[in-house]
Amino acid sequence: MNENILLYHLIIKLGAILGASLLIERILSFINVAINRMFIFQYTYQFTKAEKLKEQLKRDQQAIKESALISNETLVDSEVEEIPFHPDLPEEKKVNTSFELVLIRPIKELLNDQKRFLKYKENNTIRKEFWMQIFGMLIAIFVCRALGFSIWEFFSYSPVSGFPEPSTFGFIFTGVIIGAGSKPISFLMNFLLHRKIEIDKEEVTEEAKNSPDAEIKPSISHEIDKEQISKAVKKEAPSIEELVGFQYDGGDRPERLNNTHQYKKDVDIDLIVYHHTCMHSDAPFEEVVKEFDRKGWLTGYHCVVFKDGSIRVLCRWDRFGNHALGHNNHSFGLAFQGNFEPNPNIPSSNPDKKLGIMIPTSKQLHAAARVMALYAHMHNIPFVFPQTIKTGDPVKGIIPHYLIANKACPGGNFPHAAFKEYITNYYNAWKQDGEFKSALDLFKKNPLLMP
């Protein structure tokens, strides 16, 4: 009789433990979400609406001043860096950053830094989970003590004396089991749910195979799909972004230029200037953005081309950028990521390959050539490549930066002849291509694209 009573109590209390563990797991999940949201709200609402409006007004005023500044032909260009400091930037902020020192380290070290960061993030997650489990156990112990619920009695049961009175140790023991069991129960539920979904899919697939018309339906479906695909291939011509190999998204924070850097309606866009960034060839796009921010400018080149041939938009194309002082308001600026100047006597040069590759890659040249040819077609830019520019002559066509600035940009190792040939090939091929013209007309409808 006593054995039946023990089994009955054991089953009831095990069910209660499972339910309590699931309840604790739900409570911990709710607390976890609440903590995360608390930090998000604290970060999101650190500024009041008035402060946000004040920041917006300050940025608009800076934008107006910058728009007039970079259009000024009398402004002195910097001889030291491709990206000069903004003239209005306070002197205390015009200091060399550690950016170059970070980038010239071996890529292996950068990857190690990333691994250390991921390890640090993982350790923080583990610590968080640990303390959440401890908190769950404390909740369970408190509830067990308040309700007088314990399972230690089953471990200390004596047929002679029966069940002992619940003790403090028994409440702690029960609370630890409930708190520790919350995670395994959650994992078990997820596993059973996902497994059930996979079984349902398998059952549906098996039923479809065993259906009477199974042999007919797949063959008909295959013929229809093949016919539809064939029609789609014939109808859908490649887009400009597919032809050139990039995604136009308006560039970095395009809303910052809503009220500034606007091309004048009476000024034609008739110039394309190509540069090198003077930065490490392995530096990511985010570092190009940060460099302009550090120097105090709202924007820079219209796009940057990397050594793997990838193309990233920096300045939205319906606004002029900051890349060629005195000529920004009628030009388009493209930069190769890297430093191709080998002469050590020239400031910010790359004679010892500490800033990566010393010659643009073939993928880089071809990608940039496609962008140049596209932009020349978009604005009917004079397709000429001036070798020299005399004082007083109009500056038009496709030129390297050094022709209009006291710089070596884009570097002494830059293969100008090969680049010119690539641009010409793409330009002439697309000039006779009807699909390209149709794709270009569609591309021009982008609201952040044409002045």
Side-chain angles (χ1 to χ4, degrees), residues 240-241 246 248 378 439-446 449:
I240 284 295
E241 292 169 313
F246 78 121
Y248 183 78
M378 284 177 59
L440 181 59
D441 290 338
L442 184 61
F443 182 59
K444 286 182 178 180
K445 295 180 181 180
N446 190 307
L449 189 64

Side-chain angles (χ1 to χ4, degrees), residues 7 124 162 183 193 225 256 264 323 336:
L7 182 60
N124 278 346
K183 279 295 178 183
L193 180 62
D225 291 344
R256 302 206 305 173
K264 295 182 180 179
H323 64 96
F336 290 79

Side-chain angles (χ1 to χ4, degrees), residues 427-443:
Y427 182 85
N428 291 335
W430 287 339
K431 190 176 183 179
Q432 308 298 328
D433 191 340
E435 286 188 350
F436 173 82
K437 293 179 180 179
S438 300
L440 181 59
D441 290 338
L442 184 61
F443 182 59

Side-chain angles (χ1 to χ4, degrees), residues 100 103-105 107 278-283 307 337-341 349-361 364 413:
E100 292 81 3
L103 287 177
I104 62 177
R105 291 186 301 163
I107 297 303
C278 277
M279 298 165 64
H280 197 290
S281 58
D282 291 321
K307 70 178 186 179
Q337 178 67 309
N339 191 321
F340 313 124
E341 179 50 57
S349 59
N350 183 28
D352 48 10
K353 296 185 179 181
K354 285 186 178 180
L355 296 176
I357 59 175
M358 298 184 69
I359 301 175
T361 66
Q364 200 172 13
N413 281 345

Side-chain angles (χ1 to χ4, degrees), residues 20 27 47 58 61 73 102 117 121 213 215 219 237 245 276 284 296 303-304 322 387 425:
I27 292 174
F47 297 109
K58 182 179 178 180
Q61 291 174 346
E73 297 183 2
V102 173
F117 171 75
K121 185 177 180 181
D213 55 347
E215 296 182 358
S219 109
H276 67 172
C303 66
V304 183
N322 169 38
Q387 301 297 314
N425 291 340

Side-chain angles (χ1 to χ4, degrees), residues 62 66 84-86 89 291-299:
Q62 178 191 356
E66 181 171 311
F85 287 104
H86 195 292
L89 199 67
E291 188 70 358
F292 278 95
D293 288 343
R294 279 191 285 263
K295 297 298 176 63
W297 301 99
L298 289 177
T299 190

